[in-house]
Amino acid sequence: MKRFYLTGAIGLTVLFQILSLTLVLLFHVKELNIPLLMFAVLLILFTFVSVRLVDRLMSGDSYLILIVNMLFSIGVIMIYRIKPALGERQLLFYAIAVVSFFVVYILIRQSPDFWKDKTLFYYLATLFLFAITLLFGLTHGGARNWIELFGVQIQPSEFAKIPFVFFIAAYYANAERYSRTVLFGRLRLGSAVLMAATYVLIGLFFIQRELGTAVVFLFVLLAAQFAFEKNRRLLYGNLALAAVGLTAGYFLFDHVRTRFEIWIDPWSDIADKGYQITQSLFALAEGGFFGSGIGLGSPGLIPLGHSDFIFAAIVEEMGAFMGVCVMLLFLILFYRGVKISMRQSSNFYSALALLVSVMFAAQGIIMFAGVMKLIPLTGITIPFLTYGGSSLLSSFILLGALQVASEDLRPDGEDLRTDDEDLWANWADEGDWAKRSGSGAEEVGR
Amino acid sequence: MIRSRKRLAWLLFLLMIVFLGLILYLSLFQLVSAGELKENAYNKRNWMDETKVQRGRFIDMQGKVLVESQPQSDGTNKRVAHFPYHYAQLIGYNSKVYGKSGLEAKYNSYLLNIQNDNLFGKLKGNVLKADIGNDVHLTLNHRLQEVAHQALKGKRGAVVAIEPASGRVLALVSQPSFNANRIEEEWNSIVENKNSPLLNRPIQGLYTPGSVMKVLTATALLENNVNLDYEDKGSAVIGGYKVVNLNGKAYGSIGLQKALVHSSNVYFAQKAVDLGAAAMKESAELFYINKDIPFELPVTKSRVSYQAGMGQTELAASGYGQGESLLTPLNLGLAIAAVANDGVMKQPFIVEKVMAPSGTVLEQAKPKTLSVVGSPANMKILQAALLATVKENRSAASIRGHQVAGKTGTAQTSSGRAHAWFIGYAPYENPQIAVAVIVEEAGGSGGKIAAPIAGKMFNYWLNQR
């Protein structure tokens, strides 16, 4: 039965790709050439092969890569429709990213225990990635977040997400040990220190005008505290601190205040500051529920329609229903991440699974809500959807880690508390890991 | 580290709520605010067709291009009205900031060649994009429009010229006007101008008709076989209110023709009362008073309130065009055209046809009859009376070589300055043009101010064309 679902889902993805690619190719029919057809064939091939490979070679959750491929397909088709050259590049990034996904999977899978206690290394790596932006960064779109390496533009803040998630996960996996470690005098290495260390990162991004990344980091920290922290007061304290920090940011930084003002009333300065968000709203409105159809709308009018505002472009041409589908794909991805976290016996990989999922979901939520003017807009990437090699690569690396976490690993937990096991036991055990339940018939079927 | 499935489940639950909220918000957005946003003037999508398609032209009956789009060096098209003041209200403006008005708005789909009528047509239009829009050919004659436009220059007023046999509108002039090419630059001064240049006076202006209304009352009297003889003593008390002729002049024993020639107020006041409100109302409605006149652009409804049991004073006043009566110039133009056309009132129209660049005619107007206001026999009587009215008063509407029939009016207004009216047609035997002229608060009589304008138009149309 599970096999049937997976095959069906792959079939639907390929069907979607064929239909939408046909429309995109028709739209660019005047420029139709061999590379263009290659683009279409490669996209379908990559998707199909990556899902089949994961399904054949790995014992974990085969749906993760499938969901991600669906999101990527929607995104890259939209990017291609708006700017064919960028679409081709995005497909190249995707190929690199998928390879990285397998490499990361193998790296971590070979020695899962190696990765679970390098807390300080992860933190320093995050700091390092921040520092090189600060030192060699190029300003782009109001944020100084690019560096150039061998002629390739890289966004280190995208990669900083990887060590950051590992850092928080490693901290909580080893929290009991750390809480016994004395730093100086009476100061112990506890969750308060973790919070302080995280706030240093958040603060640095904040100053660097990467508000979006700062908020995503904050989300991840809050989720970690919510899920794994013994001391509830820390979570409440952190929430209060976040509120104070945002308020202070509003009064201290002009660029924060400007964003709020644009959010409250983009129409009074529509030609300049309010331009982006109002164009986004026009695109959303133009799409309606069913969209104008691929090639029949004007997503080219949206500034950054291929990156920050890709959600608006998708809704304009594919409709609000596709927008809902994209959001549901993110929700399903998050749901599977939570399930993996529940099932995983290794503390580190359980925490990692949850935090990677939170990272994906938080980025999605911030951009969906921002583009719809539900919250003030901060420009970040939507994993797997927006144009950009850095974002795609870092997201696929995190997905590789999540893929490892979805497999059975040796428990490393020192304190496996199961205070509410009975309540959720049934719910979690109705898992659909076909291979775990190990039905003989399916083994034969393969 | 705490391993709690409950906490994880709560986290999942929280995010599900958030995603659900986003989905609901997107749906509500589509249902509630999307419609308004689509129409927003800043939404460039509304102008995409404009830049891609060369908007169609407006062309007069002789093939003269009135408005066209000229391709610019930057690939866009610029809308150019060649006579920006002549058709500013009628053809209207086409502005990215202030939208579209007049026929530019009404024929937008044709001009841009957008088939919006069904989903298939819309899709087809999107896929097979046409580069050139369709041309709108008007029934107007630019030269005649020019005569009226110049004659009204510096005044406030309106001119309507109609071909009686068909209902074709030959000229439709509104003054004061504005420059349709400079709508964006001059918007504020246009809007703030207390003379309302944006108002399309011939179809939207409501005016007290004064004595020109007597033509309509005469039709009602003839059609209802009212005794047309009357002893005019210069004034009469009707319903407790004293009606007087101009300068209190008494004309003695008169019939319908003399009453029209001398424009006797007393005569038409008394005869309207004799006829009664019901019959007056019936006749007025044949003239499309209190009814919507079908036309390419919305026409304000003319109002004369005939109610059963209405006061005799009000009924008497309506008989000679005073009191609460308010008519549009187009309505009066139609009325005189109907009289000229032996009682058959044709539906007015200003768009002759819409033609695709290939020459295919997409829409062709056909003359239609709106109503029959009177029998041919009665209309002959009225026509003779109107001919006598122009002749015996040596009206300025008279022209060389052709006989003109018509009636002047000098309508009293609350401001104290009278509106000058003339409605008439020519030639008498074979009417080719019917005209209604009004000059607002002219400070002179219809005979002095409005009739000469009509005369110029008759002269151009019949002698100089």
Side-chain angles (χ1 to χ4, degrees):
Chain A
M1 209 52 194
K2 306 300 170 208
R3 188 112 320 276
F4 171 74
Y5 284 139
L6 186 67
T7 314
I10 295 173
L12 283 176
T13 311
V14 172
L15 185 67
F16 166 79
Q17 287 174 334
I18 291 173
L19 289 176
S20 49
L21 280 167
T22 309
L23 289 171
V24 169
L25 292 180
L26 274 176
F27 180 70
H28 291 296
V29 75
K30 280 176 195 157
E31 300 106 81
L32 194 64
N33 50 25
I34 299 298
L36 237 154
L37 288 169
M38 289 284 284
F39 172 86
V41 174
L42 282 177
L43 176 62
I44 297 171
L45 203 71
F46 275 141
T47 306
F48 188 74
V49 169
S50 60
V51 180
R52 296 302 299 180
L53 269 179
V54 167
D55 192 42
R56 293 218 164 221
L57 303 178
M58 305 177 190
S59 63
D61 186 352
S62 309
Y63 285 90
L64 297 173
I65 186 91
L66 181 63
I67 296 165
V68 161
N69 275 333
M70 286 179 180
L71 283 171
F72 174 77
S73 303
I74 298 168
V76 78
I77 284 165
M78 206 62 233
I79 295 165
Y80 198 90
R81 185 270 175 242
I82 299 173
K83 288 181 182 160
L86 295 186
E88 279 165 25
R89 280 172 70 91
Q90 179 79 341
L91 195 68
L92 180 72
F93 296 143
Y94 172 68
I96 298 169
V98 170
V99 172
S100 311
F101 164 82
F102 285 105
V103 171
V104 167
Y105 170 82
I106 292 163
L107 268 179
I108 300 178
R109 192 69 186 86
Q110 287 306 309
S111 49
D113 291 342
F114 172 81
W115 301 93
K116 64 191 186 194
D117 54 358
K118 305 289 180 285
T119 316
L120 187 62
F121 167 74
Y122 296 140
Y123 185 68
L124 292 177
T126 316
L127 265 184
F128 170 75
L129 285 167
F130 170 79
I132 55 169
T133 338
L134 206 56
L135 292 176
F136 310 107
L138 308 165
T139 305
H140 184 89
R144 188 180 155 92
N145 53 11
W146 290 93
I147 61 160
E148 211 171 281
L149 206 67
F150 309 118
V152 184
Q153 282 196 325
I154 296 173
Q155 217 175 342
S157 65
E158 290 296 336
F159 292 101
K161 286 168 184 164
I162 304 165
F164 178 74
V165 167
F166 275 71
F167 160 62
I168 305 270
Y171 169 81
Y172 273 108
N174 303 290
E176 273 69 27
R177 187 155 60 81
Y178 291 144
S179 64
R180 291 191 294 270
T181 313
V182 178
L183 283 178
F184 322 96
R186 289 177 58 213
L187 182 66
R188 283 166 190 277
L189 184 59
S191 294
V193 176
L194 168 85
M195 243 173 83
T198 311
Y199 264 94
V200 169
L201 295 174
I202 293 173
L204 287 172
F205 278 112
F206 201 73
I207 290 165
Q208 215 176 359
R209 295 198 166 199
E210 286 218 44
L211 290 184
T213 313
V215 173
V216 170
F217 277 32
L218 186 65
F219 255 125
V220 172
L221 178 66
L222 283 169
Q225 287 179 325
F226 182 91
F228 311 123
E229 180 59 56
K230 267 192 189 128
N231 187 353
R232 271 295 201 219
R233 273 179 298 180
L234 270 174
L235 175 68
Y236 304 137
N238 197 1
L239 276 172
L241 211 61
V244 171
L246 270 177
T247 319
Y250 177 82
F251 287 107
L252 287 177
F253 298 101
D254 277 344
H255 63 273
V256 182
R257 202 158 43 238
T258 310
R259 276 172 202 230
F260 259 93
E261 279 158 8
I262 295 169
W263 176 56
I264 299 291
D265 176 22
W267 303 102
S268 60
D269 193 9
I270 188 163
D272 184 20
K273 288 182 182 128
Y275 187 74
Q276 287 192 332
I277 186 65
T278 48
Q279 293 305 314
S280 163
L281 293 177
F282 290 150
L284 291 172
E286 205 69 26
F289 283 103
F290 297 99
S292 63
I294 292 172
L296 298 182
S298 311
L301 290 177
I302 318 164
L304 300 174
H306 58 282
S307 63
D308 286 16
F309 289 90
I310 193 161
F311 185 70
I314 289 170
V315 170
E316 171 165 9
E317 292 216 320
M318 308 191 196
F321 283 133
M322 183 56 99
V324 170
C325 288
V326 168
M327 292 194 270
L328 286 179
L329 282 174
F330 268 91
L331 183 59
I332 296 168
L333 190 62
F334 181 72
Y335 159 76
R336 297 201 81 92
V338 170
K339 220 166 159 183
I340 289 166
S341 178
M342 284 180 177
R343 290 294 308 265
Q344 182 52 261
S345 47
S346 156
N347 278 353
F348 173 68
Y349 288 99
S350 169
L352 196 62
L354 182 78
L355 298 182
V356 167
S357 312
V358 168
M359 182 74 97
F360 291 159
Q363 293 182 74
I365 290 169
I366 287 170
M367 282 318 285
F368 299 144
V371 163
M372 294 193 283
K373 204 175 89 70
L374 193 59
I375 59 167
L377 190 74
T378 55
I380 55 170
T381 57
I382 307 175
F384 312 112
L385 216 52
T386 51
Y387 172 76
S390 302
S391 163
L392 206 57
L393 194 54
S394 86
S395 300
F396 267 96
I397 290 172
L398 285 175
L399 190 74
L402 184 59
Q403 187 69 44
V404 176
S406 73
E407 300 189 355
D408 275 325
L409 299 169
R410 207 156 40 78
D412 56 352
E414 296 153 40
D415 180 23
L416 193 72
R417 262 175 58 159
T418 50
D419 53 349
D420 43 26
E421 190 91 54
D422 49 339
L423 186 61
W424 295 104
N426 283 336
W427 179 75
D429 283 343
E430 281 167 15
D432 47 3
W433 275 250
K435 284 150 273 176
R436 279 193 187 200
S437 52
S439 138
E442 276 168 358
E443 291 297 329
V444 172
R446 296 169 72 190
Chain B
M1 174 174 168
I2 289 195
R3 296 289 310 260
S4 161
R5 288 183 170 181
K6 201 171 173 180
R7 285 189 181 186
L8 292 182
W10 268 110
L11 202 57
L12 177 62
F13 179 70
L14 277 177
L15 260 89
M16 279 171 81
I17 299 290
V18 170
F19 274 107
L20 196 69
L22 289 175
I23 289 168
L24 275 177
Y25 183 81
L26 182 59
S27 308
L28 278 177
F29 174 89
Q30 294 297 355
L31 291 173
V32 179
S33 25
E36 204 179 307
L37 279 164
K38 274 200 250 182
E39 304 298 320
N40 193 302
Y42 289 102
N43 189 348
K44 286 186 193 152
R45 282 163 190 80
N46 297 334
W47 294 94
M48 292 297 285
D49 296 325
E50 208 85 352
T51 49
K52 281 191 222 126
V53 179
Q54 190 181 349
R55 194 176 172 87
R57 301 173 294 178
F58 281 99
I59 296 173
D60 91 336
M61 67 186 294
Q62 291 178 310
K64 190 171 191 66
V65 177
L66 306 176
V67 177
E68 67 182 324
S69 281
Q70 294 172 338
Q72 304 292 296
S73 53
D74 61 354
T76 60
N77 288 298
K78 191 182 172 204
R79 196 68 171 160
V80 177
H82 292 301
F83 310 98
Y85 288 93
H86 288 64
Y87 306 97
Q89 301 90 356
L90 175 64
I91 295 177
Y93 50 80
N94 181 44
S95 152
K96 288 187 186 185
V97 183
Y98 301 108
K100 302 173 172 71
S101 72
L103 295 172
E104 289 271 25
K106 167 85 181 183
Y107 284 86
N108 189 49
S109 303
Y110 271 129
L111 291 163
L112 290 177
N113 200 15
I114 310 168
Q115 276 90 39
N116 271 336
D117 39 352
N118 61 51
L119 188 67
F120 183 73
K122 202 177 170 184
L123 274 175
K124 202 176 118 194
N126 273 329
V127 177
L128 309 168
K129 285 191 178 77
D131 307 337
I132 302 176
N134 307 304
D135 293 337
V136 177
H137 292 255
L138 303 178
T139 58
L140 283 177
N141 181 295
H142 173 68
R143 306 285 298 277
L144 186 68
Q145 181 91 356
E146 166 76 11
V147 169
H149 181 81
Q150 293 302 336
L152 267 185
K153 208 162 197 175
K155 303 181 172 76
R156 283 179 288 131
V159 172
V160 179
I162 296 170
E163 187 177 71
S166 65
R168 282 190 180 84
V169 175
L170 304 173
L172 198 79
V173 176
S174 183
Q175 286 276 24
S177 192
F178 61 95
N179 187 334
N181 287 338
R182 296 184 54 78
I183 186 78
E184 279 158 34
E185 295 88 337
E186 294 171 4
W187 178 258
N188 285 332
S189 65
I190 291 168
V191 170
E192 283 161 15
N193 188 333
K194 60 183 187 327
N195 290 330
S196 321
L198 285 172
L199 185 70
N200 196 356
R201 284 173 160 77
I203 59 171
Q204 291 174 325
L206 282 176
Y207 301 97
T208 305
S211 298
V212 292
M213 193 68 182
K214 290 168 185 168
V215 176
L216 284 74
T217 308
T219 307
L221 300 178
L222 287 164
E223 284 298 297
N224 289 284
N225 299 315
V226 175
N227 178 9
L228 297 173
D229 295 329
Y230 183 66
E231 185 65 25
D232 184 338
K233 299 192 178 85
S235 69
V237 177
I238 300 165
Y241 181 79
K242 195 178 178 193
V243 178
V244 290
N245 288 340
L246 185 65
N247 303 326
K249 243 181 149 178
Y251 301 106
S253 183
I254 53 171
L256 182 68
Q257 180 161 331
K258 284 288 169 205
L260 280 168
V261 169
H262 299 305
S263 200
S264 165
N265 292 342
V266 184
Y267 180 94
F268 286 99
Q270 185 59 55
K271 293 297 176 192
V273 171
D274 292 350
L275 182 55
M280 283 290 282
K281 181 183 181 196
E282 202 179 320
S283 177
E285 282 177 0
L286 289 176
F287 281 108
Y288 271 65
I289 290 166
N290 296 332
K291 283 172 85 171
D292 285 315
I293 297 172
F295 192 54
E296 283 90 342
L297 294 172
V299 179
T300 308
K301 207 189 280 186
S302 297
R303 291 198 296 267
V304 182
S305 56
Y306 300 103
Q307 297 142 0
M310 70 191 282
Q312 286 205 338
T313 315
E314 189 49 42
L315 184 56
S318 78
Y320 62 100
Q322 290 293 146
E324 305 288 308
S325 312
L326 289 170
L327 275 75
T328 57
L330 177 71
N331 203 165
L332 281 162
L334 283 181
I336 191 68
V339 172
N341 198 34
D342 294 339
V344 179
M345 191 158 96
K346 306 300 273 189
Q347 179 175 324
F349 63 99
I350 200 156
V351 173
E352 182 69 44
K353 62 189 172 191
V354 180
M355 204 193 255
S358 62
T360 313
V361 175
L362 302 173
E363 191 182 284
Q364 171 73 55
K366 285 190 189 73
K368 292 190 195 88
T369 298
L370 270 189
S371 66
V372 177
V373 299
S375 67
N378 282 333
M379 289 302 110
K380 292 286 178 211
I381 299 171
L382 185 52
Q383 288 164 6
L386 292 172
L387 177 68
T389 303
V390 167
K391 276 195 171 152
E392 290 182 29
N393 288 309
R394 297 168 198 276
S395 171
S398 311
I399 56 165
R400 173 176 49 81
H402 297 280
Q403 288 188 303
V404 175
K407 178 80 193 80
T408 57
T410 309
Q412 302 307 315
T413 67
S414 52
S415 73
R417 288 171 70 84
H419 294 329
W421 276 101
F422 180 86
I423 62 174
Y425 63 91
Y428 172 70
E429 303 81 11
N430 170 29
Q432 290 173 27
I433 178 170
V435 163
V437 177
I438 177 174
V439 179
E440 288 176 29
E441 301 181 333
S445 69
K448 278 212 181 77
I449 302 208
I453 297 175
K456 282 181 190 170
M457 297 192 65
F458 292 140
N459 192 42
Y460 173 76
W461 198 245
L462 301 172
N463 291 333
Q464 293 173 356
R465 186 156 56 111

